[in-house]
Amino acid sequence: MGALWPLALALAGLAAAGPPNFVVIFADDLGYGDLGAYGHPSSSTPNLDQLAAGGLRFTDFYVPVALCTPSRAALLTGRLPVRVGMYPGVLQPSSRGGLPLEEVTLAEVLEARGYLTGMAGKWHLGVGPGGAFLPPHQGFHRFLGTPYSHDQGPCQNLTCFPPDTLCAGSCDQGLVPIPLLANLSVEAQPPWLPGLEARYVAFARDLMADAKRQGRPFFLYYASHHTHYPQFSGKSFVGHSGRGPFGDSLMELDAAVGALMATIGDLGLLRETLVIFTADNGPETMRMSHGGCSGLLRCGKGTTYEGGVREPALAFWPGHITPGVTHELASSLDLLPTLAALAEAPLPNVTLDGFDLSPVLLGTGKSPRQSIFFYPSYPDEVHGVFAVRSGKYKAHFFTQGSAHSDTTADPACHASTPLTAHEPPLLFDLSMDPGENYDLLGGVTVVTQEVLQALKELQLLKAHFDAEMTFSPSQMAQGEDPALQVCCQPGCKPRPDCCYCPDTGPVMGSSGGPRVQPEPQPHPVPQPQPEAQAQPEPEPQPQPEAQAQPEPEPQPHPVPQPQPEAQAQPEPEPQPHSVPQPHPVPQPQPEAQAQPEPEPQPQPHPVPQPQPEAQAQPEPEPQPQPESEPQPHPEPQPQPESQHSMGRLLL
């Protein structure tokens, strides 16, 4: 395959006819050393490895905080989490707060440029009353996914690996089961985990095909649950990775990447689509074999050491990105300004912490980013940033262990290691010592002038940055209200146990067990058709929801190669998949009509608002008025399937 890359790049067009499409794939708790392309000796990641071989592989790509919620906020806003109130820790299912609606997301930037925007997977940026903080209110036309991590609810009785292997551990107790949402509707609670990734892939395929049919660019934010604990996968991957449950889930993630790339190739959009892959934070090493690998880097999730904040990152765009490896500094904060520049979209009128990296991607220049600042999972204005990297040097002014990084051989990673100030700071040359093993200022008799100059520069950078930074009010500090937990059966008792509407969709049988699914066949790479045989693209016809068929699990696919431009003809678009499509959310009804049904009905039900004190709910919130609720972002061109009901509504 390697010999085909130079030919493909030589024949690819140098400019797309319009704004490029964007696919951002965001893995969960994936370590720097987990992919074959980054040196893991036994990971089965052929599709990601092909993206690395045919695209740009970053060696020094960072997230600003090594934790789910703040990392996701940084990616979507281009702003440090402390600027947008996404601290400390992560949002809970009962949290009152969420990503403030005044923040401008990447989806909103691209939506204004005419993009069809969609998200599949894990959100974890808040739910709020009536779903106020969910993706449909943050610039996404379509959403299929969970509002938070799949371990934030009881999982001890859920199947993670078919036919009957239960999820490891018990996850969080005393909460509602994890809900699967389609826009603002509850699809299932809980969903069938082994079929979830295939469901997301089908959603993504439909989004891309619909955008192609409408003649619009698309933005797909694909935030997979893999490889977060507890791991799960479809039956085609169980026991096939050689790395146990973690490897099986990683193998399914890789197959999903292959399925997405095959779809882009089928649609004839390889040269018009930039694909970016990275992850939210380092591995959760406390899970041992159920956690990931940070390779030669120190520690993992929850710390400001390299293993917590340095991530694998790939960028693939045939005809525009020359295959290779870059050591330029880069961050997830840079995605918003970079994609905005490529789409020729105006930037939000706010302070951004990201930089436009399009010169690095296109090979026309160096990275404008010279430094990166790292906050801990629980930041405060007194301590400020814990670590700063400038050029090849990194200084740790404060360090603290994390339970997420327990069980490693290094005690500095463990939760038992308290907050520790370092004066002078720990100083490392990451070009020679990426594992942060040799402090340049510790136990040495002679310090070079270059090292002293680097120390002074890093100290000044921290002092200036801390002095200029203003923390926004913490969204987590708004507290929790159990009544805000999403429930598929509003008004039911006793909560949370009664909030149970198990999956009966495309991957489930009438008995509630998984249907037997046919083994999917390898996806052929689309071949160019002679010009005389080109046929108009058939308009996909929506299928009635009652005829839903099981969605095949994603299989490993070769990354499709772009065909010579003179011969390439558009392929017929794939027919819509049976996975239910998101639908417009009904407008809130007056309070007199918003009473919960006495018993669950097959029609959509509103998720309950915070209950009054008479119903024994702690610290009830005032009932929000309909006119004050934010409205979701409608698609400019309604889809035919939007006329059908799809689950229990979240009003």
Side-chain angles (χ1 to χ4, degrees):
M1 183 193 72
L4 297 177
W5 283 112
L7 176 63
L9 291 171
L11 295 174
L14 296 180
N21 307 305
F22 300 121
V23 176
V24 175
I25 305 170
F26 210 41
D28 201 349
D29 288 6
L30 186 71
Y32 186 82
D34 275 320
L35 304 184
Y38 282 81
H40 198 284
S42 62
S43 283
S44 181
T45 55
N47 292 294
L48 287 165
D49 296 347
Q50 287 185 49
L51 282 187
L56 191 62
R57 181 170 69 86
F58 289 81
T59 63
D60 296 70
F61 188 97
Y62 290 91
V63 294
V65 180
L67 210 59
C68 295
T69 293
S71 181
R72 291 161 198 275
L75 180 144
L76 287 178
T77 65
R79 286 156 58 81
L80 284 164
V82 295
R83 290 196 197 273
V84 300
M86 292 287 97
Y87 70 95
V90 301
L91 289 164
Q92 302 298 325
S94 300
S95 292
R96 292 190 176 97
L99 182 65
L101 297 180
E102 60 267 24
E103 294 295 331
V104 180
T105 68
L106 177 56
E108 288 171 317
V109 170
L110 297 176
E111 177 200 31
R113 186 70 171 87
Y115 279 69
L116 179 62
T117 60
M119 179 194 167
K122 170 181 167 181
W123 173 240
H124 214 171
L125 292 176
V127 177
F133 298 120
L134 289 172
H137 297 303
Q138 306 276 11
F140 290 98
H141 297 129
R142 303 182 187 182
F143 168 54
L144 179 69
T146 65
Y148 35 78
S149 292
H150 65 282
D151 67 331
Q152 291 184 291
C155 68
Q156 63 270 22
N157 294 321
L158 301 182
T159 297
C160 272
F161 296 95
D164 54 10
T165 300
L166 298 181
C167 297
S170 58
C171 304
D172 294 341
Q173 300 299 304
L175 300 171
V176 299
I178 183 76
L180 175 67
L181 304 180
N183 281 356
L184 302 181
S185 301
V186 180
E187 276 288 286
Q189 194 170 14
W192 173 250
L193 294 177
L196 199 52
E197 198 74 17
R199 212 163 182 166
Y200 292 159
V201 168
F203 169 89
R205 284 171 172 159
D206 288 344
L207 179 85
M208 293 187 282
D210 288 349
K212 171 73 180 294
R213 188 178 68 250
Q214 296 172 17
R216 303 171 60 192
F218 62 80
F219 167 50
L220 170 64
Y221 173 41
Y222 192 94
S224 177
H225 299 272
H226 297 321
T227 51
H228 196 290
Y229 177 90
Q231 287 83 27
F232 61 85
S233 80
K235 62 178 174 16
S236 297
F237 309 95
V238 178
H240 292 301
S241 69
R243 282 189 69 186
F246 182 93
D248 293 350
S249 70
L250 176 58
M251 190 177 182
E252 184 174 59
L253 170 62
D254 182 79
V257 172
L260 296 177
M261 295 306 302
T263 299
I264 295 170
D266 289 345
L267 295 172
L269 296 175
L270 279 173
R271 297 180 187 87
E272 290 78 39
T273 305
L274 168 60
V275 179
I276 294 175
F277 174 89
T278 187
D280 63 346
N281 49 250
E284 193 173 31
T285 61
M286 67 172 286
R287 305 295 181 182
M288 296 180 284
S289 64
H290 287 265
C293 171
S294 56
L296 50 70
L297 304 182
R298 192 175 191 181
C299 302
K301 180 177 180 177
T303 74
T304 53
Y305 289 108
E306 290 290 285
V309 293
R310 195 192 293 205
E311 288 298 318
L314 310 170
F316 179 86
W317 192 8
H320 303 267
I321 293 178
T322 302
V325 177
T326 179
H327 304 293
E328 295 287 317
L329 282 183
S331 169
S332 58
L333 290 162
D334 302 328
L335 292 189
L336 185 147
T338 301
L339 301 192
L342 293 171
E344 298 181 351
L347 291 173
N349 187 25
V350 295
T351 299
L352 292 177
D353 297 295
F355 293 87
D356 174 13
L357 296 185
S358 58
V360 177
L361 297 180
L362 302 177
T364 60
K366 295 283 190 179
S367 171
R369 178 176 286 284
Q370 299 300 313
S371 59
I372 301 181
F373 301 89
F374 303 104
Y375 281 100
S377 302
Y378 295 83
D380 61 69
E381 293 181 274
V382 174
H383 295 93
V385 294
F386 269 30
V388 181
R389 177 172 177 178
S390 178
K392 66 180 183 179
Y393 292 103
K394 180 181 177 184
H396 289 270
F397 298 91
F398 301 95
T399 57
Q400 187 170 16
S402 170
H404 296 294
S405 287
D406 274 345
T407 75
T408 62
D410 187 349
C413 309
H414 301 170
S416 59
T417 300
L419 172 64
T420 304
H422 301 282
E423 180 57 46
L426 305 179
L427 184 63
F428 301 102
D429 178 353
L430 296 181
S431 67
M432 301 292 292
D433 179 26
E436 299 173 293
N437 294 308
Y438 306 103
D439 179 11
L440 297 175
L441 302 177
V444 296
T445 55
V446 178
V447 179
T448 67
Q449 187 62 36
E450 178 185 340
V451 169
L452 289 174
Q453 181 62 34
L455 172 63
K456 180 179 179 180
E457 178 185 347
L458 289 163
Q459 288 173 325
L460 288 174
L461 281 172
K462 172 176 167 55
H464 177 75
F465 190 83
D466 286 343
E468 295 292 325
M469 175 59 67
T470 300
F471 281 38
S472 290
S474 167
Q475 293 292 309
M476 286 67 161
Q478 294 187 24
E480 299 183 31
D481 181 354
L484 292 176
Q485 294 181 37
V486 176
C487 184
C488 59
Q489 301 195 72
C492 71
K493 294 181 180 180
R495 290 188 61 162
D497 296 337
C498 67
C499 299
Y500 184 71
C501 306
D503 214 331
T504 56
V507 295
M508 299 291 288
S510 58
S511 65
R515 291 175 178 168
V516 178
Q517 301 184 23
E519 287 292 331
Q521 300 302 311
H523 199 293
V525 177
Q527 300 299 319
Q529 302 298 322
E531 190 168 335
Q533 300 178 12
Q535 300 297 322
E537 298 183 64
E539 183 76 12
Q541 298 300 316
Q543 301 299 319
E545 200 169 317
Q547 299 177 9
Q549 299 300 317
E551 180 62 37
E553 297 161 8
Q555 294 298 302
H557 303 298
V559 176
Q561 306 298 318
Q563 302 300 322
E565 211 171 294
Q567 301 176 8
Q569 297 298 322
E571 290 291 315
E573 293 184 16
Q575 295 301 310
H577 293 270
S578 59
V579 176
Q581 301 301 312
H583 305 291
V585 181
Q587 296 302 311
Q589 301 300 316
E591 288 187 26
Q593 300 178 14
Q595 300 302 319
E597 297 291 334
E599 295 186 18
Q601 300 295 327
Q603 288 79 23
H605 296 292
V607 171
Q609 301 300 311
Q611 303 297 319
E613 291 185 15
Q615 299 185 19
Q617 297 297 333
E619 300 181 13
E621 288 286 294
Q623 185 72 18
Q625 298 303 314
E627 62 270 16
S628 66
E629 295 181 359
Q631 296 303 312
H633 296 250
E635 291 187 36
Q637 299 187 21
Q639 301 303 309
E641 65 267 23
S642 65
Q643 301 173 12
H644 302 289
S645 172
M646 92 173 302
R648 301 153 185 86
L649 295 180
L650 194 98
L651 295 179

